[in-house]
Amino acid sequence: MTLAPSRIHLIDARSVFLVLVGWYVAVVVSFGLFLSTLSGSVPNGCGEVCDSERSRALLFGLYTATPALFLALLVSLAMLAVLVARTRIRSSVLLGSLSAVLPLAVCGLLLASL
């Protein structure tokens, strides 16, 4: 008589990945909400040389934050693989959050220092 492994101890990789992606979606949505609060008008008397606050933030997001977010995603995926293989944590929410929050925090600190 063979005993099958308990389903409680198995990690559902799909749910861990969805938690990880959820953190990144939350960052992108919050940046979009931040963009909606900025003014889209160009200051008076500036001419064609100046940009609006919204366009400067959008260019920053496009050329600086997007590559940093992609690099953080790669680090998160590597951390997720290590955490799944090396730890005894079996909570999908905890594993996905641990693998996403640290690279996102480091990415945010580096971008804030620019």
Side-chain angles (χ1 to χ4, degrees):
M1 180 165 141
T2 349
L3 295 174
S6 174
R7 300 200 92 194
I8 297 172
H9 298 293
L10 299 176
I11 298 174
D12 184 20
R14 185 181 322 146
S15 62
V16 174
F17 182 73
L18 287 176
V19 169
L20 175 86
V21 168
W23 279 100
Y24 282 89
V25 168
V27 168
V28 171
V29 166
S30 65
F31 184 72
L33 290 174
F34 170 70
L35 282 178
S36 70
T37 64
L38 296 176
S39 171
S41 63
V42 178
N44 291 334
C46 197
E48 298 177 8
V49 184
C50 296
D51 289 335
S52 67
E53 291 177 351
R54 184 179 300 153
S55 65
R56 282 190 305 233
L58 190 58
L59 287 174
F60 173 78
L62 183 65
Y63 292 117
T64 305
T66 301
L69 199 63
F70 180 71
L71 182 62
L73 178 64
L74 292 178
V75 171
S76 291
L77 290 173
M79 282 182 63
L80 181 64
V82 169
L83 284 173
V84 166
R86 305 278 178 172
T87 64
R88 294 180 185 252
I89 300 171
R90 297 297 171 216
S91 169
S92 298
V93 174
L94 188 59
L95 278 174
S97 297
L98 282 176
S99 61
V101 170
L102 184 63
L104 283 175
V106 169
C107 180
L109 289 174
L110 289 176
L111 289 177
S113 68
L114 290 178

